[in-house]
Amino acid sequence: MNRTRVVLWSTLILVGLSAYFLYPTLRWYRMPAEERTEREQDRDPILKKILNLGLDLRGGTHLVLELDRSKLPPETKTVDALERAIEIIRNRVDQFGVSEPLIARQGDRWIVVQLPGIKDSGRAKELIGKTALLEFRLVDDSGILSNLSKVLLDKKMSMDQYMELKQSGKLTPDLIKVVPSGWEVLPERTESERLASRYLVVKSSAELTGSTLVDANVTFGGGNNQLSSGYPSVSFEFNAEGAKLFGLLTEANINKELAIVLDGQVQSAPTIKGAIDGGRGEITGNYDADQAKFLATVLKAGALPAPVRVIEERTVGPTLGEDSIKAGVRSAVIGLMLVMVFMAVYYSLSGLIADAAMLINMFFIFGVLAFLHATLTLPGVAGTILSLAMAVDANVLILERVREELQLGKSVRLAVDLGYKHAWAAIFDGHVTSLITSGLLFQFGTGPVKGFAVTLFWGVLVSLFTAVFFTHMIYDYWLEGREVSTLHF
């Protein structure tokens, strides 16, 4: 099989593959927005086959988080804690059903988070920033809370005022003495919003933490409390080590209350009726479905190694995303049409062949991106346009070389072959240097820079094929068996 047939079959195969990989994307974006949202929440399998839109095109939330290094244990390295925090945040976001998030380290203590499609920045911050430290602490049964209540009553203070003084470190010595060392007062999640806040005295140190949790899921209809019965609850499961510790803990404290504490708030405090050897438990309360799902998500992902705080926040609305898409598509189409018109006018039939190569080039690029399940951003669109420009430049080099050979009196067939041969070195060098540049950008860049690098890399590879081999194939078939005296430029 000669070179021409190899290129022809390669082109046909690539066209078929590109159409196959692009079909789910075309089908997806032709759906109504409401249907796409529902399918995203249900994690439709089609989501793994489409070309996604980035934050700048789709809209969403952009956050920059800072890790509180002062809260890290002395033996923990900041870099290790940052990587751990990134992994936990990624797990939380993935479990919550956010499509194609960007979560990356920036510097030695910052984390950049981009959540396409998430417009509620408050919900995003709560999901990402929650420390999610789950602890199991024994509840005092010696009357410390009763004694504290009497002292506060004498001082005409409420428990809320006591907690404010405690958090600000302004408790008086007589109040400090009421709660013995090793115990502390924590607020309890109320079973109903209509009920006043409740407090419990629990041990300062945890008997068991959530570090040994392996699973957490939302269940319905559980709970023995009349107020919580029928509400969603969160069931959890320990690994073998945690199950053993949990069994020993419950066995040694039968008929005592065990507080389930999440980030300093008592979620529930059930009474231990007997040893629990199965390594399973349940958190009940007046949760709605979203709150229960949120709690299960953060428990399953694990606790952050240290608190994080938001130092930068931007929300890109859907209107801005749509405007970006329209502006990007409009500029790309106008630029492409101007180039195609110029090539057709200046190089006549040869220009039309170059135009066909450019259209095939763009089709192949998006086919490759869909195959890679890539995320298209505005810098990615810029990378695509730049690769198209390089394809045009390659065709111009070839056509000018062909023109020179024709002016030297060569036949059309020989002039075309020599034009491609002489232009190849310059085209190859230019494309290789662009490939190296895009590789370096991908390796050392983050976020939008990587998006630009990916589209540029594949665009340059594709343009090398379409601009050189595809157009040469067309000339071969056109000139085969024909007596062509000249080419019109």
Side-chain angles (χ1 to χ4, degrees):
M1 187 179 291
N2 60 25
R3 182 201 64 198
T4 304
R5 290 189 178 276
V6 170
V7 175
L8 174 62
W9 281 108
S10 299
T11 302
L12 293 176
I13 291 171
L14 289 174
V15 168
L17 289 174
S18 296
Y20 172 78
F21 289 119
L22 278 173
Y23 174 72
T25 299
L26 296 174
R27 181 178 156 214
W28 174 258
Y29 288 107
R30 292 184 66 180
M31 294 180 186
E34 296 79 9
E35 184 179 352
R36 292 202 302 266
T37 301
E38 290 179 4
R39 288 179 177 241
E40 282 182 340
Q41 292 175 348
D42 295 337
R43 300 194 178 188
D44 194 299
I46 196 176
L47 292 172
K48 297 181 180 179
K49 302 177 183 179
I50 65 172
L51 177 60
N52 292 287
L53 298 180
L55 184 73
D56 47 4
L57 296 179
R58 185 182 176 189
T61 299
H62 171 95
L63 301 171
V64 178
L65 311 173
E66 182 178 26
L67 189 70
D68 189 351
R69 295 183 291 182
S70 65
K71 299 296 178 64
L72 289 173
E75 68 277 6
T76 303
K77 295 182 180 179
T78 303
V79 174
D80 294 339
L82 202 61
E83 293 297 332
R84 170 68 177 154
I86 289 173
E87 188 62 30
I88 290 170
I89 291 172
R90 181 174 289 111
N91 289 339
R92 292 181 183 180
V93 171
D94 288 345
Q95 292 173 29
F96 214 66
V98 180
S99 176
E100 293 301 314
L102 169 68
I103 304 166
R105 193 178 86 181
Q106 181 174 300
D108 60 349
R109 56 178 171 171
W110 298 287
I111 302 171
V112 176
V113 180
Q114 292 185 356
L115 305 175
I118 300 296
K119 311 302 188 303
D120 187 351
S121 61
R123 189 182 184 195
K125 286 187 291 185
E126 186 182 8
L127 171 67
I128 292 168
K130 197 172 186 65
T131 308
L133 178 60
L134 181 69
E135 299 173 307
F136 296 85
R137 305 195 199 181
L138 288 173
V139 179
D140 170 65
D141 58 0
S142 64
I144 296 176
L145 186 62
S146 177
N147 295 336
L148 178 61
S149 298
K150 291 177 182 178
V151 173
L152 293 177
L153 185 60
D154 293 339
K155 291 179 171 288
K156 296 182 180 179
M157 289 178 58
S158 66
M159 189 64 76
D160 291 339
Q161 291 173 319
Y162 169 84
M163 294 299 295
E164 290 177 4
L165 292 175
K166 176 175 173 286
Q167 291 171 1
S168 62
K170 298 179 180 179
L171 284 177
T172 57
D174 56 334
L175 287 176
I176 294 175
K177 290 179 182 179
V178 179
V179 180
S181 177
W183 298 88
E184 68 173 317
V185 181
L186 291 181
E188 182 181 13
R189 179 186 174 88
T190 57
E191 300 290 356
S192 170
E193 295 181 357
R194 296 188 298 271
L195 299 178
S197 299
R198 289 185 56 199
Y199 296 88
L200 291 176
V201 176
V202 300
K203 275 195 171 183
S204 301
S205 58
E207 307 292 334
L208 183 65
T209 69
S211 60
T212 54
L213 279 179
V214 293
D215 199 11
N217 294 288
V218 179
T219 55
F220 291 87
N224 297 320
N225 190 304
Q226 291 183 354
L227 287 174
S228 63
S229 180
Y231 283 101
S233 58
V234 178
S235 60
F236 55 85
E237 181 180 355
F238 293 102
N239 60 17
E241 178 189 358
K244 181 180 178 181
L245 294 173
F246 194 57
L248 293 173
L249 171 63
T250 53
E251 183 181 7
N253 295 281
I254 294 175
N255 294 325
K256 292 185 178 181
E257 288 183 303
L258 181 66
I260 302 174
V261 183
L262 179 67
D263 288 343
Q265 184 184 51
V266 178
Q267 301 296 309
S268 60
T271 300
I272 302 171
K273 299 297 184 182
I276 304 175
D277 298 322
R280 297 174 181 270
E282 187 177 46
I283 302 174
T284 60
N286 62 322
Y287 299 107
D288 59 29
D290 288 338
Q291 291 170 333
K293 180 183 177 183
F294 176 86
L295 179 56
T297 297
V298 294
L299 290 181
K300 190 183 297 186
L304 291 172
V308 295
R309 64 186 183 92
V310 179
I311 61 174
E312 182 184 339
E313 174 186 350
R314 294 200 305 269
T315 300
V316 181
T319 302
L320 179 57
E322 291 172 5
D323 291 344
S324 298
I325 294 174
K326 291 177 182 177
V329 170
R330 188 186 306 115
S331 61
V333 169
I334 292 174
L336 187 64
M337 290 180 62
L338 289 175
V339 171
M340 291 177 67
V341 169
F342 169 79
M343 294 294 290
V345 171
Y346 192 76
Y347 291 108
S348 187
L349 178 62
S350 298
L352 291 176
I353 294 174
D355 289 344
M358 192 158 44
L359 294 175
I360 290 287
N361 186 0
M362 185 160 34
F363 185 63
F364 285 172
I365 290 174
F366 286 110
V368 170
L369 294 178
F371 167 72
L372 295 174
H373 189 46
T375 298
L376 186 64
T377 61
L378 279 177
V381 173
T384 302
I385 294 173
L386 179 57
S387 65
L388 291 175
M390 292 191 66
V392 173
D393 183 59
N395 278 286
V396 169
L397 284 173
I398 292 169
L399 293 176
E400 289 301 322
R401 287 289 189 177
V402 172
R403 191 202 297 265
E404 291 175 2
E405 298 298 331
L406 288 173
Q407 289 174 349
L408 292 175
K410 306 284 178 60
S411 67
V412 172
R413 181 73 198 212
L414 182 59
V416 169
D417 290 340
L418 290 176
Y420 276 92
K421 180 180 179 181
H422 293 158
W424 169 251
I427 294 172
F428 182 78
D429 290 347
H431 281 65
V432 168
T433 53
S434 295
L435 288 174
I436 293 173
T437 301
S438 61
L440 292 173
L441 287 174
F442 183 83
Q443 180 65 31
F444 299 106
T446 59
V449 176
K450 280 196 172 186
F452 174 81
V454 168
T455 53
L456 179 61
F457 179 85
W458 290 106
V460 169
L461 275 182
V462 170
S463 71
L464 190 62
F465 173 81
T466 56
V468 178
F469 300 101
F470 174 75
T471 55
H472 201 172
M473 176 201 68
I474 293 179
Y475 282 116
D476 286 341
Y477 273 104
W478 180 50
L479 295 173
E480 186 176 0
R482 291 172 181 250
E483 289 294 332
V484 180
S485 57
T486 186
L487 284 177
H488 296 286
F489 286 101

